[in-house]
Amino acid sequence: MNVDLKDIVSSFCTEKNIPLVGYAASNRWEQPLFEPWIPADFYPHHILPETRSVIVIGLPVALPVLETSPSIWYHELYKTVNSLLDQYTVQLASLLSRAGFPSVFVPRDGYGSIEVLQKNPVAFFSHRHAAVLAGLGRFGVNNMVLTREFGPRIRFGSIFTTALIPSDPLVEDELCIHCNKCVSLCPANALKEGDYPLVLTDKPACTTQSASLNKRYISPCGICIKVCPIGEDRRVFHRGNTGIYEPGSDTDLFHGWEHVRKYGGK
């Protein structure tokens, strides 16, 4: 085991201001946490046989920017976070390879366009499942991974490595409180009440909504992660009251959001 590798990764994450990092041995994929589980073809060591561990990093999506969604501001933040995830996982994989443990990054999405996603709404690897198996969070009703620190307002990237690194403990506590705000406020009606994976996102409805916003340069939607009450970031940004997102809410914040939405898209 290479416990010292965690120190290397932790130092890198501190330097790059990456707040969340977790580790999962590749054999964790063979121990389903719930049913139905992901098919074996999606296991990291089936994609790349040399993989012994997966390192997952998480970068947050700033809540005040997300609150303007759909908007050009959130659109640009989303692109920036995705770009950083790819850069950081490439750099971290290179760092580990130079240390004697061949490693590769996995792209944060793994599909070419919204149009491609509409035809086949699945990537070749699930960073969400990797994040759960690496002890970073748990699935919520919105089918997203909820974390204690940022709720679902976080994006994940993964590294496949030949190093055998001790797995982090799984999150045992239920984080989703089943308030179902994500269900009631989804503009595409793509969510239903119930636990993941027994109740899944209506992917065609969700991707159709994203495609429509993409044509206006203001994708993605982001509503289901915006309204989620879970996460310490709500305390940081003084957003404890999720009632501000309900239709008809008229606050100073609302006027700011409306202002941003008038610009940068179409």
Side-chain angles (χ1 to χ4, degrees), residues 187-204:
N189 295 314
L191 296 170
K192 292 183 174 63
E193 295 183 16
D195 292 322
Y196 180 92
L198 299 179
V199 180
L200 297 174
T201 300
D202 183 341
K203 290 184 178 180

Side-chain angles (χ1 to χ4, degrees), residues 4-264:
D4 57 319
L5 287 184
K6 285 192 174 184
D7 292 333
I8 295 176
V9 175
S10 294
S11 295
F12 177 88
C13 291
T14 298
E15 177 187 344
K16 301 297 184 182
N17 293 310
I18 299 169
L20 293 186
V21 60
Y23 306 85
S26 60
N27 61 11
R28 270 197 171 175
W29 272 257
E30 298 176 351
Q31 304 160 27
L33 300 181
F34 41 75
E35 296 290 347
W37 188 239
I38 53 178
D41 284 349
F42 293 84
Y43 296 0
H45 51 295
H46 287 189
I47 297 171
L48 185 67
E50 297 91 338
T51 305
R52 301 180 75 188
S53 303
V54 177
I55 303 169
V56 184
I57 63 171
L59 292 179
V61 174
L63 179 56
V65 178
L66 173 62
E67 287 177 329
T68 67
S69 66
S71 72
I72 192 66
W73 197 359
Y74 176 47
H75 174 80
E76 293 297 332
L77 175 62
Y78 187 85
K79 290 197 303 181
T80 299
V81 170
N82 279 347
S83 177
L84 286 173
L85 280 171
D86 281 350
Q87 292 178 51
Y88 291 159
T89 49
V90 165
Q91 292 174 27
L92 187 50
S94 178
L95 181 65
L96 293 172
S97 295
R98 292 198 304 272
F101 302 95
S103 305
V104 296
F105 97 114
V106 181
R108 84 277 171 181
D109 285 328
Y111 59 87
S113 67
I114 291 293
E115 290 72 26
V116 171
L117 197 61
Q118 283 182 291
K119 295 177 182 178
N120 184 24
V122 180
F124 70 82
F125 181 71
S126 171
H127 296 288
R128 293 180 305 150
H129 287 81
V132 171
L133 289 168
L136 296 181
R138 288 177 62 115
F139 281 101
V141 169
N142 58 7
N143 286 207
M144 304 300 290
V145 176
L146 275 58
T147 66
R148 293 187 180 94
E149 298 85 353
F150 306 102
R153 292 167 293 278
I154 189 159
R155 300 280 292 159
F156 298 107
S158 303
I159 299 106
F160 292 173
T161 179
T162 58
L164 180 57
I165 305 175
S167 298
D168 284 338
L170 299 174
V171 174
E172 299 292 344
D173 299 336
E174 181 65 74
L175 298 180
C176 180
I177 62 173
H178 295 80
C179 66
N180 292 312
K181 287 185 179 295
C182 56
V183 176
S184 62
L185 294 176
C186 174
N189 295 314
L191 296 170
K192 292 183 174 63
E193 295 183 16
D195 292 322
Y196 180 92
L198 299 179
V199 180
L200 297 174
T201 300
D202 183 341
K203 290 184 178 180
C206 185
T207 52
T208 296
Q209 170 75 357
S210 294
S212 174
L213 295 175
N214 194 50
K215 291 178 180 178
R216 299 166 54 198
Y217 310 111
I218 55 173
S219 64
C221 171
I223 304 299
C224 65
I225 65 174
K226 170 171 68 177
V227 303
C228 180
I230 304 303
E232 274 296 299
D233 57 336
R234 289 210 165 275
R235 180 187 61 79
V236 171
F237 290 110
H238 306 289
R239 295 291 198 274
N241 176 22
T242 57
I244 58 178
Y245 309 123
E246 299 287 345
S249 176
D250 188 10
T251 66
D252 290 339
L253 289 171
F254 176 82
H255 294 299
W257 303 335
E258 285 296 289
H259 167 74
V260 172
R261 291 169 190 155
K262 292 176 183 177
Y263 299 93

